[in-house]
Amino acid sequence: MDPKKEQRLRERTKINPYVNFLGIELLKLEEGLVEARMPLTDDQKQYSGVSHGGVLAALADTIAGYAAYTVTPLDRDVLTAEMKISFLRAAWGNELRAKGYTIKSGRKVHFCECEIYCDEKLVAKASGTFCVVEPQV
């Protein structure tokens, strides 16, 4: 992957308030592939102690979006246009791991997926469409 692109993604991660609020840490950045971890806190769990589905969806959107960024030119951004998530089992535990993949990249639209694991068990799988746009900032 282009070192400038990797640096840009890492810098954006540092200044992204929501990513920092969730505690997402990037572990691997390659063209078309992103891996990350996220600690689970009591604030992110339901009354029963299981992770809230919205937390899993936020992680999936973030990591699939980062996978889209890895195949996007530096002079463009991506925005989520559509996302679907399937919850496969309850996420009990203290940490989530996410793997985002670019399945199909294009000039205007990318299609990406994200798998989320808790204690090495697949707990959710998401797919999303990401629009390639001119930077808004």
Side-chain angles (χ1 to χ4, degrees):
M1 186 165 86
D2 179 354
K4 288 182 183 179
K5 197 177 289 187
E6 180 175 354
Q7 180 182 358
R8 179 180 179 197
L9 286 172
R10 291 196 183 279
E11 287 173 0
R12 282 188 164 191
T13 301
K14 289 178 187 175
I15 62 169
N16 185 316
Y18 194 62
V19 169
N20 289 315
F21 172 75
L22 291 173
I24 296 171
E25 175 189 350
L26 297 177
L27 302 173
K28 186 180 212 177
L29 278 172
E30 295 178 3
E31 188 164 318
L33 172 67
V34 175
E35 293 183 13
R37 64 173 290 281
M38 186 183 105
L40 286 173
T41 65
D42 289 340
D43 295 347
Q44 299 164 330
K45 296 178 181 178
Q46 298 188 45
Y47 64 91
S48 62
V50 69
S51 301
H52 190 282
V55 172
L56 299 175
L59 178 60
D61 182 31
T62 301
I63 300 309
Y66 273 48
Y69 267 115
T70 68
V71 295
T72 302
L74 280 170
D75 65 341
R76 296 287 185 256
D77 273 338
V78 296
L79 296 174
T80 307
E82 168 274 332
M83 179 155 267
K84 178 216 182 284
I85 187 164
S86 295
F87 302 107
L88 306 173
R89 64 171 34 128
W92 304 92
N94 297 312
E95 182 178 90
L96 297 174
R97 295 269 177 157
K99 294 180 183 178
Y101 308 90
T102 301
I103 303 299
K104 170 71 172 84
S105 63
R107 288 184 316 120
K108 296 186 178 192
V109 175
H110 302 317
F111 183 79
C112 301
E113 293 183 344
C114 181
E115 297 173 348
I116 300 176
Y117 297 84
C118 187
D119 296 333
E120 299 182 24
K121 294 179 184 172
L122 183 63
V123 296
K125 184 154 181 156
S127 61
T129 305
F130 297 85
C131 293
V132 179
V133 298
E134 291 185 25
Q136 305 297 307
V137 193

